[in-house]
Structure formats: structure tokens, C-alpha cells
Amino acid sequence: MRVVVLRLGHRPERDKRITTHVGLVARAFGSQEMILAGRDERLVEGLEDVALRWGGDFQVRSVSSWKAEARSWKEAGGRIVHLTMYGTPLSESMEEIRRSDPLMVVVGAEKVPPEIYEMADWNVGVGNQPHSEVAALAVFLDRLFLGRELEMDFGGRIEVVPSPRYKTVIERRKEDEAEG
Ligand code: SAM
């Protein structure tokens, strides 16, 4: 299933860390792309660097018009779910959402433009308490993929060897990858 995350409302001077975390969660929890509404080259480069070292095929790109992006997504047959504390319960629409491929998941920052409520096929609440786009996205993706995303093999240059007590990491050299 193709899932892209659209991050609205990024303010480069305030949201670097939280938008980076949106990107990290998007990648680690099974989405293939984050689209950033607005520009922040360093943030994009930082996430690309993570993807390069830790594997997988996660992409990040900036767009100047989120509306144009969402419109063309829908024109191409994609569906949109907007995560908001004002939305309907996750469990009510999850089965239908799971059948909707490709899927765009929209998360906001401080405020979201009102049009997104109209453009979205679903406005979904991960509970109806205010919390965070990072938490909302993680819970949503985990429910969407039924937890299986946590077993994905990213095939990265860096890989953690799970351990009950120690930090064990394998780091392959670039040259080793080139040699196969
Ligand atoms: N007024 C916002 C709202 O509509 O959810 C809360 C702003 S919150 C700081 C930033 C983002 O976190 C929101 O745009 C939304 O994507 C996400 N978020 C926060 N709480 C959520 C919840 N209970 N369910 C779903 N998404 C939530």
C-alpha cells in the first residue's frame, strides 16, 4: 500500500524538530514519502541522510502549494485522510481507509487551513484530546498496518542488532555495498 504523509504548516524557525520527527515516524512506520508544505532544505537533507544510512526507499520533497498537491493526488484517484482532534473516531473508518490505496495522510502544526477539512475524504481523530502530530501519525500508521510495519527490513547500511541490554549496531561500509 502506498502511503504518503503531507505535513502542513511547517515554520522553519520553530518546527524543525517536530517536523523532523514527523518525517522519521512516517519512514519508520511504513510510509514511502513525506511532502513538506513549504521550504526547509536542511530539514529535507537531514531526513534524506537518515534514509540513505538506515535504508528503505523513503523520499522527502518540499512543495509550494499543498492545495495543488492534494488536488492532483485526488485527480489521480488517491484518497486523503486528515488527522485532527476534531475528527471522527479512528476505528469507525479504518477498514475503509485500509482499502484505499494510494493514501495521503495529512497532519498539521499550530493551525490548519480550513479547506483541508473539505478536501479530505476523512477527518479522523486519534482520540479527541489535543496531543501531537507525531503521536497521531504513529498511532494512525500502526493501526493502518496492524503493527506489521515494525517488522519491516530496511536493508540499511546501519542496522541495530536487537539486544536486551547492549547497544549493538552493524555499520556496513559504502564500498561493501558497491561490491554487493
Ligand atoms: N487544533 C489542532 C487539531 O486540529 O488537531 C491541534 C493542533 S496539534 C498542535 C498539531 C497537529 O497534531 C494537528 O494538526 C493534527 O494533525 C495532530 N493532532 C493533534 N491531536 C490530535 C488528535 N487527537 N487526533 C488526530 N490528530 C491530532
Side-chain angles (χ1 to χ4, degrees):
M1 176 173 188
R2 176 160 179 77
V3 178
V4 314
V5 172
L6 173 62
R7 195 318 186 237
L8 299 180
H10 172 70
R11 296 155 298 178
E13 65 291 349
R14 292 184 56 175
D15 295 329
K16 271 193 198 312
R17 191 171 153 79
I18 195 149
T19 302
T20 298
H21 285 193
V22 168
L24 292 174
V25 164
R27 173 184 170 276
F29 286 70
S31 127
Q32 288 85 29
E33 184 175 20
M34 180 175 85
I35 301 169
L36 176 67
R39 276 182 84 84
D40 192 331
E41 273 158 34
R42 282 192 59 193
L43 187 145
V44 169
E45 280 167 17
L47 287 169
E48 285 173 344
D49 186 53
V50 170
L52 192 71
R53 291 182 299 125
W54 287 86
D57 54 4
F58 188 71
Q59 311 277 314
V60 192
R61 66 190 167 91
S62 295
V63 294
S64 51
S65 167
W66 70 265
K67 232 184 273 180
E69 201 66 32
R71 211 174 281 139
S72 61
W73 182 264
K74 293 199 82 170
E75 280 165 11
R79 314 287 301 274
I80 300 182
V81 55
H82 168 221
L83 303 184
T84 166
M85 61 183 274
Y86 304 107
T88 55
L90 192 53
S91 53
E92 269 180 19
S93 31
M94 192 40 108
E95 279 194 20
E96 197 189 350
I97 293 174
R98 212 175 273 130
R99 291 194 298 270
S100 307
D101 186 6
L103 183 69
M104 176 182 275
V105 186
V106 182
V107 293
E110 199 79 346
K111 275 189 183 154
V112 292
E115 299 100 301
I116 191 61
Y117 287 87
E118 294 300 322
M119 291 184 90
D121 297 285
W122 304 273
N123 291 288
V124 161
V126 180
N128 295 107
Q129 301 298 316
H131 47 81
S132 138
E133 48 272 53
V134 177
L137 182 62
V139 171
F140 176 82
L141 291 176
D142 190 59
R143 296 277 172 94
L144 179 71
F145 294 123
L146 300 164
R148 293 185 195 122
E149 79 288 354
L150 300 180
E151 286 147 34
M152 268 185 316
D153 180 6
F154 284 83
R157 199 185 297 159
I158 308 179
E159 200 179 312
V160 170
V161 180
S163 159
R165 216 170 297 283
Y166 304 109
K167 278 164 97 173
T168 313
V169 175
I170 299 172
E171 194 155 358
R172 298 178 188 88
R173 292 176 309 160
K174 262 193 192 162
E175 303 84 288
D176 295 342
E177 278 177 10
E179 286 163 16

